[in-house]
Amino acid sequence: MKSFAPLAGIVALFAATASARPFTIDSPTDVVFCLPTLITWHGGKPPYLLRCGPILADGRPGGAPLVNLGEERGNSVIWVATLVPGTNAFLNLEDSTGSLAQSATFTVSAGSHRNTTCTGTTKSDGRD
């Protein structure tokens, strides 16, 4: 009878490697005022705290959050950007261990739509 112990060890090693994925947030590429934007991230340990921050005058991310998107337990959220078009911002994601992931900077665009009913809306979890 053949032993499957070596195969089980390889499978366990692969699973450990896959779960050790770096904690990262995907940078949004098209954030449009009053339209939904899918924000996704990988790795880390839930719950996560997601915030949108400003870009400082010297081009670095920093300062007080512009929007606090709250606590998330999954790996994605749909955000309806209520920031003024032309705002330069970034996303800051913190996991339950205190690890941080930051997106690249992005600029909120006005888009070609006429939707301005998003005032006061910040996010959707898809259960609305």
Side-chain angles (χ1 to χ4, degrees):
M1 184 175 249
K2 292 186 178 184
S3 170
F4 291 100
L7 180 58
I10 291 171
V11 170
L13 178 62
F14 178 75
T17 302
S19 67
R21 184 173 184 175
F23 183 42
T24 59
I25 185 167
D26 298 325
S27 297
T29 56
D30 192 23
V31 179
V32 181
F33 175 72
C34 277
L35 291 183
T37 300
L38 177 63
I39 300 169
T40 56
W41 55 89
H42 313 278
K45 183 176 179 185
Y48 305 95
L49 185 58
L50 180 61
R51 296 181 182 116
C52 179
I55 302 302
L56 302 175
D58 63 5
R60 292 181 301 119
L66 299 169
V67 179
N68 183 345
L69 294 167
E71 188 175 287
E72 297 296 327
R73 296 200 169 273
N75 290 92
S76 68
V77 67
I78 296 173
W79 173 45
V80 178
T82 57
L83 299 173
V84 175
T87 300
N88 294 315
F90 71 101
L91 296 171
N92 196 41
L93 185 68
E94 183 177 352
D95 77 355
S96 63
T97 69
S99 293
L100 295 173
Q102 253 180 15
S103 75
T105 61
F106 59 88
T107 302
V108 178
S109 70
S112 59
H113 65 88
R114 303 230 187 275
N115 180 9
T116 59
T117 60
C118 67
T119 305
T121 303
T122 56
K123 71 175 183 176
S124 168
D125 61 8
R127 294 180 279 185
D128 297 334

